[in-house]
Amino acid sequence: MVSLETLTPFQDKPIEPRQFQVISTWSFTAARYIRHFEWIFGLEYDAFPYTSELNTMSVSKDIRQYLEEGFLIFIPTADDLERAYEMLIYNNYRPRDPDERKRFEDFGTGPWEYTIIPGRWDTRTKKSEFLPPLFDCSSDGTLVPFSFDDCDYDTLPRFTSAVHPLIVVMFHRMNIPDNHPSRTIQEKLIEPLKKVFRKWPQWQHNRFLPMPNTKFKREYDVGRKIVCRCIYCSKNTPSTSTASSSELEDTCTDDEEEVEKEGREEDYKELSRIANERISVWRGCLEGVASIHDDVKHDDILDRYAQECTDAADKVMLRQEEERVKREALAALDMQGDFPLKKKSRVV
């Protein structure tokens, strides 16, 4: 079995083991994904295990650069990728509180199995790109040429490691591999991996912080200051964008319609109260007109408007205002004698 510790591009150099940190502490690219990772895979804020064995492994010194650049990759099993997909979907779309998420630890313990393949392919030649010829060092020190070009799914090299599959998923999200020339390998390795990528969250606001300016509260404290550098928070004052979680809204979602429906629930109730007060006033004002305009007797449409608080609140109030203008115009015209008795007004 081929190992990342025994692969080398040189025949005349001894193999030197080196530690390979899958997600580097100094990676600027990783900084774009780390909060997403911590949220969707059930970690606490700022708790990514950079120095743990879950993120580090021993590899040959001479292939480490190919791993870092994505020319040589290792992919979790299809079962592990499906579990990663299910966890991402659950944590990203269902809970609204950090403590309701499925936890990183729930994924289980290693070691886990990985399949080694090149990450870049020449679309014309169907050969691995940028990866030099490799040799596998056997237990007796003999170097045996090794090529991926003629491998099918069953003959690809595999190894086990304590590195966590979820961390490997994030690593590939930062540097997405090419599709494999073999349809079988693509279906069993690349497609399950990219299935996770397609659902990777795109929100910018740090979900460990509720959105600013809200009536909703969240009692959540990880014992350290949580920051958010998204555009939305940067436009707020420092006291607002860095306020404690008990002063902020318990909703942080990339779905604007969901924020509109859930985040403004209290506003809807207040607008509904105002709407019902208006209805009462309108009925009183129109009592004199009702005797000669049959349709004014029944204010069911106004009642329905008041009940539609599952709709966007601003739309409800707009429709009520339009109806008020029509009714006032009707009353004004009647007082001037412009309408004959019993003529019904037409309300669209």
Side-chain angles (χ1 to χ4, degrees), residues 4 45 64 66 198 254 284 292 337:
L4 294 178
Y45 175 77
R64 186 172 63 175
Y66 299 107
R198 284 190 287 270
D254 53 315
I292 57 174

Side-chain angles (χ1 to χ4, degrees), residues 11-113:
Q11 290 180 286
D12 55 353
K13 288 179 59 177
I15 295 178
E16 300 179 45
R18 287 290 186 275
Q19 286 298 109
F20 170 58
Q21 197 173 51
V22 181
I23 303 298
S24 172
T25 312
W26 309 106
S27 172
F28 290 104
T29 305
R32 296 169 46 201
Y33 297 97
I34 200 67
R35 299 297 168 240
H36 291 159
F37 181 94
E38 290 174 339
W39 180 269
I40 61 179
F41 291 136
L43 283 172
E44 295 298 308
Y45 175 77
D46 202 23
F48 188 89
Y50 286 104
T51 59
S52 166
E53 65 175 1
L54 301 174
N55 185 51
T56 58
M57 61 190 305
S58 179
V59 302
S60 166
K61 171 187 174 182
D62 297 315
I63 67 164
R64 186 172 63 175
Q65 61 174 321
Y66 299 107
L67 292 168
E68 292 171 343
E69 295 169 359
F71 301 143
L72 182 65
I73 64 176
F74 49 99
I75 300 179
T77 64
D79 288 343
D80 287 339
L81 291 172
E82 184 62 26
R83 291 175 63 196
Y85 176 82
E86 292 172 356
M87 179 178 285
L88 185 158
I89 294 298
Y90 182 90
N91 287 347
N92 196 44
Y93 292 99
R94 292 186 60 180
R96 291 295 175 262
D97 188 274
D99 293 332
E100 296 176 9
R101 298 168 301 154
K102 292 183 178 179
R103 309 299 296 179
F104 183 78
E105 298 79 10
D106 297 341
F107 200 87
T109 57
W112 289 276
E113 181 181 296

Side-chain angles (χ1 to χ4, degrees), residues 162-212:
V163 168
H164 204 287
L166 298 179
I167 293 178
V168 175
V169 167
M170 176 178 164
F171 178 73
H172 293 315
R173 178 63 183 85
M174 294 162 49
N175 193 5
I176 300 176
D178 293 340
N179 289 330
H180 197 279
S182 165
R183 187 61 188 169
T184 302
I185 295 176
Q186 182 174 329
E187 289 177 351
K188 294 187 176 182
L189 290 176
I190 305 298
E191 278 303 316
L193 183 64
K194 291 188 175 181
K195 178 182 176 181
V196 182
F197 299 162
R198 284 190 287 270
K199 293 297 183 179
W200 194 273
Q202 299 298 316
W203 41 264
Q204 299 297 317
H205 177 74
N206 185 349
R207 282 197 173 182
F208 287 97
L209 276 176
M211 295 286 281

Side-chain angles (χ1 to χ4, degrees), residues 101-332:
R101 298 168 301 154
K102 292 183 178 179
R103 309 299 296 179
F104 183 78
E105 298 79 10
D106 297 341
F107 200 87
T109 57
W112 289 276
E113 181 181 296
Y114 295 96
T115 302
I116 308 173
I117 64 171
R120 297 287 176 259
W121 295 89
D122 188 300
T123 56
R124 183 178 57 85
T125 65
K126 307 298 183 184
K127 303 293 184 181
S128 58
E129 194 173 21
F130 305 119
L131 191 65
L134 296 176
F135 301 89
D136 181 34
C137 183
S138 62
S139 56
D140 61 1
T142 304
L143 293 177
V144 180
F146 183 83
S147 173
F148 291 96
D149 296 335
D150 299 323
C151 290
D152 59 26
Y153 177 74
D154 294 327
T155 59
L156 285 172
R158 292 171 174 82
F159 70 99
T160 59
S161 173
V163 168
H164 204 287
L166 298 179
I167 293 178
V168 175
V169 167
M170 176 178 164
F171 178 73
H172 293 315
R173 178 63 183 85
M174 294 162 49
N175 193 5
I176 300 176
D178 293 340
N179 289 330
H180 197 279
S182 165
R183 187 61 188 169
T184 302
I185 295 176
Q186 182 174 329
E187 289 177 351
K188 294 187 176 182
L189 290 176
I190 305 298
E191 278 303 316
L193 183 64
K194 291 188 175 181
K195 178 182 176 181
V196 182
F197 299 162
R198 284 190 287 270
K199 293 297 183 179
W200 194 273
Q202 299 298 316
W203 41 264
Q204 299 297 317
H205 177 74
N206 185 349
R207 282 197 173 182
F208 287 97
L209 276 176
M211 295 286 281
N213 305 326
T214 177
K215 297 178 181 179
F216 290 94
K217 312 297 181 184
R218 174 188 287 167
E219 298 297 336
Y220 180 76
D221 183 11
V222 296
R224 59 178 65 87
K225 183 178 180 181
I226 303 177
V227 297
C228 182
R229 298 182 177 87
C230 73
I231 296 176
Y232 184 87
C233 290
S234 66
K235 291 181 179 179
N236 289 272
T237 61
S239 59
T240 300
S241 60
T242 59
S244 65
S245 57
S246 63
E247 299 172 342
L248 298 174
E249 180 182 10
D250 186 19
T251 186
C252 349
T253 177
D254 53 315
D255 190 335
E256 293 181 359
E257 292 182 357
E258 188 173 353
V259 172
E260 186 71 18
K261 291 178 181 179
E262 296 181 5
R264 295 176 57 191
E265 186 174 323
E266 291 297 324
D267 292 337
Y268 291 162
K269 292 179 181 178
E270 177 64 14
L271 289 174
S272 180
R273 182 188 64 78
I274 296 173
N276 281 296
E277 288 182 355
R278 287 186 178 183
I279 290 171
S280 178
V281 172
W282 297 341
R283 281 175 173 159
C285 294
L286 294 174
E287 284 178 357
V289 184
S291 62
I292 57 174
H293 293 283
D294 294 340
D295 65 324
V296 184
K297 293 180 181 179
H298 306 288
D299 283 329
D300 294 338
I301 188 172
L302 298 181
D303 288 325
R304 177 164 57 83
Y305 288 171
Q307 299 301 320
E308 289 180 346
C309 287
T310 54
D311 196 358
D314 55 345
K315 293 180 181 178
V316 173
M317 298 303 292
L318 176 61
R319 292 164 68 182
Q320 289 179 329
E321 185 67 16
E322 290 174 347
E323 185 67 14
R324 182 189 66 80
V325 172
K326 290 177 182 178
R327 302 265 174 130
E328 287 183 351
L330 176 65

